[in-house]
Every structure is written in structure tokens, then in C-alpha cells.
Amino acid sequence: MAEVLSPLKSKCVAGHHGASEKSGLKMGTRALSGLWQIAGWDDFESAAQPVLSSLGLKDGGTFRIAQHADGATAWRIAPDRILIETADPNLENAPELMKLDLSHARSVITLEGPSSRDLLSQLVAIDVTPMAFKPGEFFQTGIHHVGVLIHCLNSDRFDILVPGTWASSVWEALYENALPHGVETLEVA
Amino acid sequence: MIRINCPVCGLRNETEFTYGADATVSRPAMDENEMKPWLDYVFNRTNPRGWHKEYWHHVQGCRQWLVLERNTLTHEIGACELAREVTE
Ligand SMILES: [Zn+2]
């Protein structure tokens, strides 16, 4: 099988850029273990429940807080749509659901470090201060006019899910704005 | 600056949304044979001064279509609902 390359492969070269005396944040990428969207209609809640249960997830969660189970993360991205990251290739299906494999359609840009929130606040029109954007929370917004999902992992660590075709543009917008903070780019794992 | 209270995402900046269309227009019945109702439906719009119902798309967010009230004079934003939940 052909090796799937990250669209960020050429960006993720180890190095230190921008303000030389500072190391405000690290930018990198990580492979998605597998990304699925399940979508449905009026009875979405009950149709989705067996899929969520099979992954150990309690329910569909809220539009604000990601759900976690061993090996699975779920984001409720719309009333009848849930995004699930799981390595399980045999995700359950039901006739009332549309299951869509997005594993190769999204890339993850990782941010880490004390200046991560400062960088995000330069690029999104949302309050990303620690009181307003807490670990475990996520939101969908736009960076550089591209729809993204930003997930807060801990006080200064974030995953940004980006459409693969725009990953390079979003990376550049983040990178340019990160330079004054001093940015370390991480090798693709 | 316009801010829109998306029922899914919460209060967000207008830059995340795009305007869709006039939400007060409804399609004539499919068996309507007069030309006038179809002409009005496709081309003719009122241009109100004040409150107006509009379709907006939360394109850089939950990607849901919304029906929102906007004041064309002051740009105030009123009630905002998911279009799928608007029955009339
Ligand atoms: Zn929304």
C-alpha cells in the first residue's frame, strides 16, 4: 500500500525560528489514529448511541466539551453530526447513520508552549484565555478563513484539526504569527 | 461589529458567517400556474428598513443554516434559530 504522507511533512522540519532569544511555542503535527464522522437525521441520538457505546463513550456530549474513552475521542460538531477519532477500523454502523472516513481528509497541527494562547488570540475572534477555554473544551472557528476545530488538551497545549487541503495555508498563517514569540518546529513523528 | 448567537456554537463574530438569503420568502405551491407568484418568488424582494429575517450560514463553525433577525437600520441582531427548527 502506498505510504500516506502528511501535507505538513515539508513544514515539520526540526528547527528554531523567529525571535532567537525566546521559545514561546512548539508547532508540529501528529497522525490521526483514524477519523470518522457519523451523521444522521431526526433520530440521530438513538442511532448514534450503539456506535458511541461500542467505543466506551457515554453519549454524544456537548458542542463544547470533547468526550473521551480509552482510545477514542468524540467531538459533537453539529446537532446530528459527531466526529470521532479512533484507531478502530470496524466502527459500527447502522442504517440510520452515515459513516464517513475522514482519516485522510484532516491534518492535525499541534501547538504547545506558553505563547500558544497568545498566538491563537491573534488569529481567532474567540476568547482563548485560560478562564474561557479550558482543557477538554473545543470549538470550531476559522483561521485564515479556513474552518478548523481547536481542542484544548491542557493549559498550553492544543490540537488544531484542519482540512488536509488547507493544512499548509493554515500552518503558514500560524507560523508567520508565531515568529515574534520564537517558535520551534518539530520533526514529523 | 456584528456578533451572532449561534444556537450550536454560542456568541461568535460575524466573520465566521456568510449571509444566505431573505428568509421571509416562501415558495409558491408546486401547482401554482400564475406567473406573478413565481416572478415574485425568484426576483422580487422587499427592502425593509428595520427588522428583517435572514438566512445566514455558520460556515466557519458548525456549518448549520440559521434564521436570524437583523435590523437593517442599526445592524442589531435579534433572535437566532437553527433554520431546520423554523417551521413557518
Ligand atoms: Zn455555529
Side-chain angles (χ1 to χ4, degrees), chain A residues 20-170:
Chain A
S20 57
E21 74 286 6
K22 289 193 274 187
S23 190
L25 69 147
K26 295 172 183 172
M27 284 177 67
T29 188
R30 68 172 181 84
L32 284 159
S33 58
L35 189 71
W36 300 87
Q37 176 185 268
I38 53 171
W41 291 266
D42 291 344
D43 57 350
F44 178 65
E45 223 69 49
S46 52
Q49 196 53 57
V51 179
L52 298 166
S53 299
S54 75
L55 295 166
L57 295 161
K58 190 160 55 69
D59 55 39
T62 69
F63 301 127
R64 183 72 179 166
I65 299 170
Q67 296 262 98
H68 290 286
D70 195 23
T73 303
W75 300 274
R76 184 70 176 259
I77 55 172
D80 48 15
R81 261 186 286 161
I82 298 175
L83 206 57
I84 301 170
E85 183 179 7
T86 172
D88 184 356
N90 302 311
L91 193 65
E92 275 196 45
N93 203 0
E96 311 80 38
L97 284 181
M98 276 300 297
K99 189 177 89 169
L100 185 64
D101 183 357
L102 293 174
S103 309
H104 299 153
R106 297 286 184 278
S107 295
V108 183
I109 297 174
T110 60
L111 296 185
E112 185 180 354
S115 300
S116 303
R117 285 181 194 267
D118 297 332
L119 172 62
L120 287 175
S121 68
Q122 286 168 247
L123 295 164
V124 300
I126 290 179
D127 187 354
V128 292
T129 54
M131 285 300 286
F133 190 30
K134 300 190 178 83
E137 294 185 335
F138 76 97
F139 54 74
Q140 299 176 92
T141 183
I143 292 181
H144 199 56
H145 304 287
V146 178
V148 299
L149 186 155
I150 307 179
H151 185 185
C152 179
L153 300 170
N154 68 31
S155 58
D156 66 359
R157 209 153 68 81
F158 303 86
D159 270 0
I160 307 176
L161 271 70
V162 189
T165 45
W166 294 104
S168 170
S169 312
V170 174

Side-chain angles (χ1 to χ4, degrees), chain B residues 5-78:
Chain B
N5 196 13
C6 172
V8 172
C9 306
L11 195 61
R12 295 298 181 88
N13 194 295
E14 176 227 353
T15 52
E16 293 185 2
F17 300 81
T18 45
Y19 171 82
D22 186 332
T24 64
V25 180
S26 52
R27 192 177 63 195
M30 291 309 281
D31 58 2
E32 175 61 65
N33 289 321
E34 292 292 321
M35 284 301 285
K36 176 84 169 54
W38 287 106
L39 185 75
D40 285 344
Y41 169 62
V42 176
F43 295 109
N44 296 331
R45 298 289 179 267
T46 53
N47 185 16
R49 178 182 185 274
W51 288 101
H52 192 224
K53 275 194 174 181
E54 299 172 333
Y55 284 115
W56 283 71
H57 189 211
H58 196 182
V59 64
Q60 287 173 45
C62 59
R63 305 188 66 85
Q64 300 296 295
W65 277 98
L66 311 170
V67 171
L68 91 95
E69 289 173 348
R70 184 177 67 90
N71 191 310
T72 59
L73 188 67
T74 62
H75 282 314
E76 276 175 279
I77 299 294

